Amino acid sequence: MKSENSNKSSSHEFNMATYIITYKCPLSCPMCFFSCNPQRDETISQELSLKILDQIKELEISFIGIAGGEPFLKLNLMKELIKKAYSYGMTAIVVTSAYWGISYKKALLKLKNLKELGLNWIQISLDDQHQQIVPMEMVANVLKAALKLDFEDIKLIGSSSGNSENFKYQLFYLEQVLGIDLKRIDIIDRPRVSHQYFEDHEQVKYPFEELENIEKLDLPITKPGACLTELMIDVNGDLYPCCNNFIGKLGNVFIEDIQSIIKNLNDNVYFRIIKQDGPFKLARHLDETQKTNFVNKRYGSWCELCGMIFQKKEFQDLLTNK
Amino acid sequence: MMNDFIDLIKKGKDDPAYLKSIITDKKKIKNFELTSAELDVLKKLDPESIKVIVENIEKRARLSGLADTRACTGGTYACQVQ
């Protein structure tokens, strides 16, 4: 039976909430959303993150992402989140670089332990930057272990855009040289990378009008409203309505509960514009009312346009209901 | 090493004759740091097959973004819902 609170919040369209549990990472990839690296150690509070999980449960969100940084560097925190999510009937998904897959045996042991706690979905990052530090053999060890343990969902997340064209060859290597059965693995070609990386490396830029008619471009995002279905909780408690922090934050979950933050979100005119019409209409609106110049520039994707809008200091709080 | 292997495959995909000339020349192949598993793959697959496999993988990666609607963190769920 739904509680009174969950009825109140049933109008939201979020189906996933991802925790960035730490900025600590053995890697320091130039395209990282959060500029994670080995020296950083910001980590979300265990007590607060478990408390937030109760609020997420109330919102009837059934997928929980555990990412970073490298969540395996905060193993105990990750285990507690998995355990509690599982006890709530949620699906926990861990995103990792697979740096810990030193051997198949060790990878199997680690994953077996996590599976016993309720983990059944795993996602591994695969691209030039990650593979500079994490040899492909480690990725293969983790994949083999996840396949052996019959994980329900195994994803390889790479990018063939905004990166070199190596993704398909890395997959070829995994399949042909390291013997991974790619047919049992979801391959995800990620469309987005961080602001700075957009500036430096994005290969293909489209004029605003062309990107607005995206269905002709063969890009992953094809219609307005397809975005903004995932919540992201940053290490510091900032809450975003997207899988990354390009977009403006909604509020802070350490100060206010998530239900209160998203309760009136549909009344926020800027959120509604992006949800209904994509960031284009918002960009046009800002150009007309705030004398910005978004329309005359070129962008690699919708995400880049969104990022460009919200990285401007004056627009960072457009989605905050205050 | 993987990078040398990938370089060879990349070139071989567009220029099968080049790849053939490397694989069949013991002196040339020594210039590449290849493991025995990598060498085996290059000997087992002719350049045309390599091209087909790479293109199929590429096609699959591109299509998965449109076909799969299962949740995925970090930039891939929302944009795949059709």
Side-chain angles (χ1 to χ4, degrees), chain A residues 15-16 18 33 63-67 93-95 121 123 131 136-137 152-153 155 157 160 164-173 175-177 182-192 217-223 226-230 243-244, chain B residues 1-14 33-42 44-46 49-66 68-82:
Chain A
N15 49 32
M16 179 162 187
T18 295
F33 294 162
F63 288 94
I64 300 298
I66 304 171
I93 307 167
V94 167
V95 187
W121 289 41
Q123 298 177 1
Q131 268 49 72
M136 198 62 86
E137 285 75 9
E152 191 183 319
D153 192 273
K155 282 182 167 56
I157 304 178
S160 59
S164 74
E165 291 188 352
N166 272 353
F167 188 38
K168 54 183 178 282
Y169 299 106
Q170 288 159 342
L171 293 169
F172 178 93
Y173 193 87
E175 186 178 67
Q176 298 297 323
V177 179
L182 286 185
K183 289 185 186 71
R184 293 176 63 193
I185 294 166
D186 278 339
I187 299 165
I188 303 294
D189 194 352
R190 174 145 67 182
R192 62 193 74 169
L217 291 180
D218 197 23
L219 290 174
I221 308 172
T222 55
K223 63 174 186 179
C227 285
L228 310 183
T229 55
E230 181 173 342
C243 58
N244 58 62
Chain B
M1 302 296 285
M2 185 182 79
N3 289 342
D4 275 4
F5 179 85
I6 287 181
D7 281 346
L8 266 176
I9 294 290
K10 260 186 185 178
K11 286 174 190 158
K13 180 176 166 277
D14 299 322
E33 286 185 45
L34 298 175
T35 64
S36 57
E38 290 164 354
L39 264 175
D40 284 349
V41 170
L42 290 177
K44 187 179 75 182
L45 296 173
D46 63 81
S49 307
I50 289 172
K51 190 178 178 185
V52 170
I53 294 169
V54 170
E55 283 173 355
N56 283 341
I57 287 173
E58 188 176 24
K59 193 176 167 189
R60 199 184 145 209
R62 180 164 282 271
L63 287 176
S64 72
L66 301 174
D68 185 7
T69 56
R70 287 190 291 176
C72 167
T73 62
T76 46
Y77 177 73
C79 57
Q80 287 172 54
V81 177
Q82 295 297 296

Side-chain angles (χ1 to χ4, degrees), chain A residues 100-116:
Chain A
W100 44 274
I102 297 162
S103 68
Y104 168 66
K105 203 175 162 184
K106 284 190 176 170
L108 189 66
L109 197 67
K110 200 158 255 182
L111 276 191
K112 188 170 179 283
N113 181 245
L114 293 175
K115 188 162 187 192
E116 283 164 2

Side-chain angles (χ1 to χ4, degrees), chain A residues 22-68:
Chain A
T22 183
Y23 288 161
K24 196 170 190 62
C25 187
L27 301 99
S28 47
C29 303
M31 76 293 191
C32 181
F33 294 162
F34 309 101
S35 306
C36 299
N37 64 47
Q39 284 75 45
R40 297 191 75 168
D41 201 25
E42 298 97 316
T43 302
I44 201 165
S45 141
Q46 180 166 315
E47 188 190 344
L48 286 171
S49 57
L50 292 172
K51 192 176 145 196
I52 293 161
L53 199 60
D54 291 330
Q55 298 168 19
I56 295 168
K57 182 184 173 230
E58 282 295 302
L59 289 167
E60 298 177 358
I61 291 172
S62 54
F63 288 94
I64 300 298
I66 304 171

